[in-house]
Amino acid sequence: ASSYVGFDSITRQIEYKLLKRGFQFNVIVVGQTGLGKSTLINTIFASHLIDSKGRLEHDEPVRQTTDIQAVSHVIAENGVRLRLNIVDTPGYGDQINNEGCWDTIIKYIKDQHSAYLRKELTAMRDKHIQDTRIHCCLFFINPTGHSLRSIDMIVMKKLSEVVNVVPIIAKADSLTLEEREVFKNNIRAEMQYNNIRLYPFDTDENDPEELALNETIRNIIPFAVVGSERNVIIDGKPVRGRKNKWGVINVEDETHCEFVHLRNFLTRTHLQDLIETTAQIHYEAFRSKQLLALKD
Ligand code: GDP
Ligand code: MG
């Protein structure tokens, strides 16, 4: 909408500044080993990759004993530079005794909030603070077709209190389309039953378009996806896909899986909102709690 007081041009200036600086986007992947976490991340971002370096250099390294690993990439999407950190959490929920297996993940997320708060309290006002806060948690669900494991429910609940959680049905090629729909509905019902409030959140600031977009996303979640690091030939063209005895799955074909929806959600429609929601809801909750504790 146009506006005679010139708000549009102000927004454009702010946007331009943001675009020039580029976005810092930090994603954590959570789920059992072997569910295709690394594969999916590579499928989403590989084609846009400009540059990656091994371990992300933290100002203060997180506890050495954890298995948590961060890798940083620079990607270009629609001409916008995106600095992307992918935090991998191998081995969650693999043990016979899974008691407290989520602790290191939650601690990692809170450590980033705490590091940011420390910098915010000490840094000069105009200085740009390096942001390692986790903007999105991709939560990988085993494609059993039945229901969620109770451990998954517990962990998803805990995570959703500190980070934007986006559930994903991994390896969706192992379910038929009917099974996929049933499984999705079961998962949604279970999450509702357990009062798990998932991203996206509607706010008063959302315009009708954004509200409609959020509703569309809610109707898709959990994204049923297939990942592949290999190309297969379909109609003479190489595409990301998986080939089995019966045929070929084209990862980017919307009739095959919801990979494209997930990628658009992450890199286009909700990128900025995931970042803002992290700052305004999750980080703010952490921050006010810490500052209150300081007062006592
Ligand atoms: P991670 O341990 O969660 O990081 O899992 P990986 O990405 O290492 O994948 C484990 C195995 O599953 C590999 O052999 C992958 O080729 C395979 N895989 C990954 N994604 C898919 C998928 O969408 N469908 C199928 N059928 N296999 C997959
Ligand atoms: Mg892996």
Side-chain angles (χ1 to χ4, degrees), residues 22-38:
F23 289 94
Q24 174 71 55
F25 189 46
N26 306 318
V27 179
I28 198 165
V29 288
V30 175
Q32 278 170 281
T33 301
L35 284 183
K37 298 186 292 297
S38 306

Side-chain angles (χ1 to χ4, degrees), residues 189-205:
E190 281 180 274
M191 289 192 303
Q192 200 164 16
Y193 181 79
N194 286 283
N195 278 320
I196 300 181
R197 230 184 121 232
L198 284 188
Y199 183 86
F201 311 117
D202 292 334
T203 71
D204 300 341
E205 287 170 25

Side-chain angles (χ1 to χ4, degrees), residues 31-40 88 140 170-174 225-229 242:
Q32 278 170 281
T33 301
L35 284 183
K37 298 186 292 297
S38 306
T39 306
L40 186 76
D88 204 351
F140 285 64
K171 299 187 174 180
D173 50 320
S174 56
V225 295
V226 177
S228 171
E229 286 170 326
R242 305 191 74 88

Side-chain angles (χ1 to χ4, degrees), residues 209-225:
E209 255 170 68
E210 289 169 320
L211 292 177
L213 193 59
N214 284 350
E215 195 50 31
T216 313
I217 292 298
R218 259 182 236 115
N219 288 330
I220 301 177
I221 281 176
F223 293 96
V225 295

Side-chain angles (χ1 to χ4, degrees), residues 100-158:
C101 65
W102 56 82
D103 285 346
T104 51
I105 303 172
I106 301 277
K107 181 175 185 303
Y108 182 89
I109 294 167
K110 286 189 174 167
D111 279 349
Q112 311 315 311
H113 284 171
S114 145
Y116 195 89
L117 178 59
R118 232 172 304 132
K119 285 182 214 158
E120 206 175 48
L121 292 175
T122 54
M124 288 193 303
R125 252 170 194 284
D126 56 350
K127 217 175 134 202
H128 178 63
I129 302 177
Q130 202 218 339
D131 192 359
T132 62
R133 293 172 298 183
I134 302 296
H135 303 120
C136 178
C137 169
L138 297 180
F139 190 94
F140 285 64
I141 297 167
N142 206 336
T144 60
H146 303 290
S147 55
L148 283 173
R149 297 185 304 167
S150 59
I151 181 84
D152 284 335
M153 205 51 90
I154 295 169
V155 176
M156 226 193 288
K157 175 124 186 152
K158 298 232 175 242

Side-chain angles (χ1 to χ4, degrees), residues 268-281:
R268 299 201 178 118
T269 60
H270 284 73
L271 173 68
Q272 198 168 350
D273 190 66
L274 283 161
I275 295 172
E276 279 170 10
T277 302
T278 300
Q280 287 161 13
I281 296 182

